[in-house]
Amino acid sequence: FWRVIHYYNGIGVSENKIKACQYLKGSAEMGVPEAQYYYACMLLEGEDGEIDKDLAIDYMFLAANSGYEDAITFLKENELIDT
């Protein structure tokens, strides 16, 4: 997860949000709820090069189903789940 932060913020390496997103995607695919949430956020912002709202929502639900509070809050605020 540290590689994501380093590439995203350019700490010790050149800033590269696409590479950060690739590392985050790997963690998200392995089922890490925090990674699923942040990967979804990057997809919503198009920080990997393109916006993919459908995939972002899928990952947001995966994170929420694992109990990740930020994902649950996001889904509630966007009226995608009941409060």
Side-chain angles (χ1 to χ4, degrees), residues 21-22 28-29 32 43-44 55 83:
C21 194
Q22 290 169 345
E29 288 174 344
V32 178
L43 289 170
L44 287 171
L55 186 57
T83 55

PDB file of all heavy atoms in Angstrom, residues 21-22 28-29 32 43-44 55 83:
ATOM      1  N   CYS A  21      -2.603   4.016  -9.287  1.00  0.00           N
ATOM      2  CA  CYS A  21      -3.892   3.352  -9.504  1.00  0.00           C
ATOM      3  C   CYS A  21      -3.694   1.873  -9.830  1.00  0.00           C
ATOM      4  O   CYS A  21      -4.465   1.028  -9.373  1.00  0.00           O
ATOM      5  CB  CYS A  21      -4.655   4.070 -10.612  1.00  0.00           C
ATOM      6  SG  CYS A  21      -6.391   3.624 -10.696  1.00  0.00           S
ATOM      7  N   GLN A  22      -2.648   1.544 -10.578  1.00  0.00           N
ATOM      8  CA  GLN A  22      -2.373   0.144 -10.908  1.00  0.00           C
ATOM      9  C   GLN A  22      -2.064  -0.663  -9.642  1.00  0.00           C
ATOM     10  O   GLN A  22      -2.570  -1.779  -9.486  1.00  0.00           O
ATOM     11  CB  GLN A  22      -1.211   0.057 -11.892  1.00  0.00           C
ATOM     12  CG  GLN A  22      -1.553   0.571 -13.267  1.00  0.00           C
ATOM     13  CD  GLN A  22      -0.332   0.723 -14.160  1.00  0.00           C
ATOM     14  OE1 GLN A  22       0.803   0.710 -13.705  1.00  0.00           O
ATOM     15  NE2 GLN A  22      -0.577   0.874 -15.452  1.00  0.00           N
ATOM     16  N   ALA A  28      -6.961  -3.969  -4.445  1.00  0.00           N
ATOM     17  CA  ALA A  28      -8.429  -4.042  -4.465  1.00  0.00           C
ATOM     18  C   ALA A  28      -8.886  -5.409  -4.962  1.00  0.00           C
ATOM     19  O   ALA A  28      -9.813  -6.002  -4.409  1.00  0.00           O
ATOM     20  CB  ALA A  28      -9.003  -2.928  -5.341  1.00  0.00           C
ATOM     21  N   GLU A  29      -8.229  -5.919  -5.986  1.00  0.00           N
ATOM     22  CA  GLU A  29      -8.589  -7.236  -6.529  1.00  0.00           C
ATOM     23  C   GLU A  29      -8.292  -8.356  -5.536  1.00  0.00           C
ATOM     24  O   GLU A  29      -8.921  -9.410  -5.588  1.00  0.00           O
ATOM     25  CB  GLU A  29      -7.841  -7.483  -7.839  1.00  0.00           C
ATOM     26  CG  GLU A  29      -8.372  -6.640  -8.985  1.00  0.00           C
ATOM     27  CD  GLU A  29      -7.553  -6.766 -10.254  1.00  0.00           C
ATOM     28  OE1 GLU A  29      -6.403  -7.267 -10.204  1.00  0.00           O
ATOM     29  OE2 GLU A  29      -8.060  -6.340 -11.311  1.00  0.00           O
ATOM     30  N   VAL A  32      -8.748  -6.188  -0.425  1.00  0.00           N
ATOM     31  CA  VAL A  32      -8.440  -5.250   0.656  1.00  0.00           C
ATOM     32  C   VAL A  32      -9.473  -4.123   0.626  1.00  0.00           C
ATOM     33  O   VAL A  32      -9.495  -3.337  -0.331  1.00  0.00           O
ATOM     34  CB  VAL A  32      -7.007  -4.681   0.504  1.00  0.00           C
ATOM     35  CG1 VAL A  32      -6.714  -3.674   1.605  1.00  0.00           C
ATOM     36  CG2 VAL A  32      -5.986  -5.805   0.487  1.00  0.00           C
ATOM     37  N   LEU A  43     -11.264   5.829  -9.691  1.00  0.00           N
ATOM     38  CA  LEU A  43     -12.045   5.579 -10.907  1.00  0.00           C
ATOM     39  C   LEU A  43     -13.090   6.664 -11.123  1.00  0.00           C
ATOM     40  O   LEU A  43     -13.341   7.078 -12.254  1.00  0.00           O
ATOM     41  CB  LEU A  43     -12.722   4.209 -10.833  1.00  0.00           C
ATOM     42  CG  LEU A  43     -11.816   2.994 -10.952  1.00  0.00           C
ATOM     43  CD1 LEU A  43     -12.598   1.734 -10.616  1.00  0.00           C
ATOM     44  CD2 LEU A  43     -11.216   2.907 -12.340  1.00  0.00           C
ATOM     45  N   LEU A  44     -13.692   7.122 -10.038  1.00  0.00           N
ATOM     46  CA  LEU A  44     -14.704   8.183 -10.150  1.00  0.00           C
ATOM     47  C   LEU A  44     -14.099   9.500 -10.607  1.00  0.00           C
ATOM     48  O   LEU A  44     -14.759  10.291 -11.274  1.00  0.00           O
ATOM     49  CB  LEU A  44     -15.414   8.379  -8.809  1.00  0.00           C
ATOM     50  CG  LEU A  44     -16.392   7.290  -8.416  1.00  0.00           C
ATOM     51  CD1 LEU A  44     -16.857   7.486  -6.982  1.00  0.00           C
ATOM     52  CD2 LEU A  44     -17.587   7.267  -9.364  1.00  0.00           C
ATOM     53  N   LEU A  55     -17.706   0.598 -12.671  1.00  0.00           N
ATOM     54  CA  LEU A  55     -16.706  -0.191 -11.963  1.00  0.00           C
ATOM     55  C   LEU A  55     -16.421   0.403 -10.583  1.00  0.00           C
ATOM     56  O   LEU A  55     -16.258  -0.323  -9.608  1.00  0.00           O
ATOM     57  CB  LEU A  55     -15.413  -0.273 -12.780  1.00  0.00           C
ATOM     58  CG  LEU A  55     -14.320  -1.182 -12.235  1.00  0.00           C
ATOM     59  CD1 LEU A  55     -14.827  -2.620 -12.067  1.00  0.00           C
ATOM     60  CD2 LEU A  55     -13.105  -1.145 -13.158  1.00  0.00           C
ATOM     61  N   THR A  83     -30.460   4.294   4.261  1.00  0.00           N
ATOM     62  CA  THR A  83     -29.801   4.723   5.490  1.00  0.00           C
ATOM     63  C   THR A  83     -30.410   4.053   6.688  1.00  0.00           C
ATOM     64  O   THR A  83     -31.455   3.518   6.684  1.00  0.00           O
ATOM     65  CB  THR A  83     -29.893   6.254   5.668  1.00  0.00           C
ATOM     66  OG1 THR A  83     -31.258   6.640   5.601  1.00  0.00           O
ATOM     67  CG2 THR A  83     -29.087   6.931   4.586  1.00  0.00           C
TER      68      THR A  83
END
